[in-house]
Amino acid sequence: MSLIINRRAAAAALTAALLVPLSACGGGDKKSDTGASTSASASAPAGAKAANLTVLAASSLTDVFKAAGAAYEKAHPGTKVTFSFAGSQELAAQVKQGAPADALVTADTKTMDGLKAETNDPSVIAKNRLVIATGKGNPFKVDDLKDLADTKLKVVLAAPEVPVGRYSKQILDAQKVEVKPVSQEPNVRAVLSKVELGEADAGLVYKTDSAKSGDKVVTVDIPDDQNAVASYPAATLKQSKNAEAAAAFVTWLNGPEAQKILQDAGFQKP
């Protein structure tokens, strides 16, 4: 009887000894799997590789894209988005000169269409409209486009090769309003700045830009039948060294999170 008990005890001890390393190994595997999964999720979320992206974007997107970029980086840990803002015509020149960048967003389709050799298929991510921005308090009582023809007014416009300048000329010509601007600026932000600083009495800018000025300017709406719609196409650049990540960012711009950010900033749906 004693011999049987001893054998049973020895067998139990041997079984326990074998189970300990197996249990430790199983626990280690589980911990390792969890750790690997967490690390992969943090560094490269599903559907997009982590990368440092450079995006060339129209000046009128400055504020909203800073917010969009922060949201994208938060949703895609490991990815850094750097923006370079300028007039669309300046951005086009940079692309043609081979500036290192991954994606492009312009304030008009015409500029984007001129870059078919350098870009992949674009998609419109937002739209905008023009308004008249006047000096604080609107001292000259500007109510519509025809008021801009008053020679007493110092009116500033964007240069005709700039999208907002081209839109401005389009709507002024349609209403047969002749304006002799005191200056023609390289982008919409420069036009707005002139009005904010009192260097001009009025100017034509995008609605979203004027809204960001607060009480520095008075915004005068232009009726839809006298206005122009600005479309913002986005495309990846063929020269991008981060093609997959760039495509993911452009796709995201068309998604619900980015669209909410754009529309909350006053941009219209594509």
Side-chain angles (χ1 to χ4, degrees):
M1 185 72 173
S2 175
L3 180 60
I4 293 173
I5 292 174
N6 287 339
R7 285 178 177 174
R8 287 179 179 173
L14 178 60
T15 300
L18 291 172
L19 286 175
V20 168
L22 287 174
S23 175
C25 183
D29 285 348
K30 185 175 181 181
K31 183 176 181 180
S32 176
D33 289 345
T34 303
S37 175
T38 301
S39 176
S41 175
S43 62
K49 288 185 177 180
N52 291 326
L53 295 175
T54 298
V55 179
L56 307 178
S59 294
S60 50
L61 294 166
T62 300
D63 296 308
V64 70
F65 263 19
K66 287 178 180 178
Y72 189 77
E73 290 176 355
K74 183 177 181 180
H76 299 78
T79 291
K80 173 70 175 176
V81 184
T82 300
F83 296 102
S84 177
F85 299 103
S88 295
Q89 80 290 348
E90 295 178 47
L91 300 177
Q94 292 175 30
V95 170
K96 288 181 177 180
Q97 291 167 7
D102 302 292
L104 169 70
V105 188
T106 61
D108 66 333
T109 56
K110 182 176 181 179
T111 300
M112 185 67 78
D113 288 345
L115 296 168
K116 289 182 178 179
E118 291 82 15
T119 65
N120 295 303
D121 291 341
S123 60
V124 174
I125 63 163
K127 293 185 177 180
N128 213 340
R129 290 181 182 272
L130 271 64
V131 297
I132 303 169
T134 73
K136 189 172 183 178
N138 192 5
F140 289 90
K141 308 301 179 187
V142 175
D143 293 321
D144 55 36
L145 289 171
K146 292 182 180 180
D147 290 337
L148 298 180
D150 188 341
T151 55
K152 296 178 183 177
L153 280 180
K154 290 186 293 183
V155 179
V156 62
L157 301 174
E161 62 270 18
V162 183
V164 70
R166 188 161 56 250
Y167 294 134
S168 298
K169 185 178 186 306
Q170 175 186 326
I171 65 176
L172 290 170
D173 287 351
Q175 297 303 310
K176 295 180 171 54
V177 177
E178 185 177 352
V179 175
K180 294 182 178 180
V182 293
S183 68
Q184 293 182 314
E185 301 300 320
N187 58 65
V188 68
R189 285 304 178 96
V191 174
L192 186 61
S193 178
K194 291 276 187 179
V195 180
E196 289 177 338
L197 296 172
E199 296 175 11
D201 302 315
L204 289 172
V205 301
Y206 294 120
K207 185 173 184 178
T208 52
D209 288 288
S210 186
K212 292 294 293 184
S213 288
D215 61 359
K216 293 180 181 178
V217 302
V218 171
T219 299
V220 179
D221 289 328
I222 300 170
D224 286 349
D225 61 352
Q226 298 177 17
N227 214 329
V229 178
S231 294
Y232 291 75
T236 57
L237 297 177
K238 292 179 180 178
Q239 67 187 18
S240 172
K241 295 181 180 179
N242 303 295
E244 185 179 342
F249 177 72
V250 171
T251 298
W252 180 83
L253 288 175
N254 286 282
E257 183 178 10
Q259 285 298 304
K260 184 178 187 306
I261 293 171
L262 285 161
Q263 289 160 35
D264 284 350
F267 288 86
Q268 298 174 7
K269 293 181 180 180

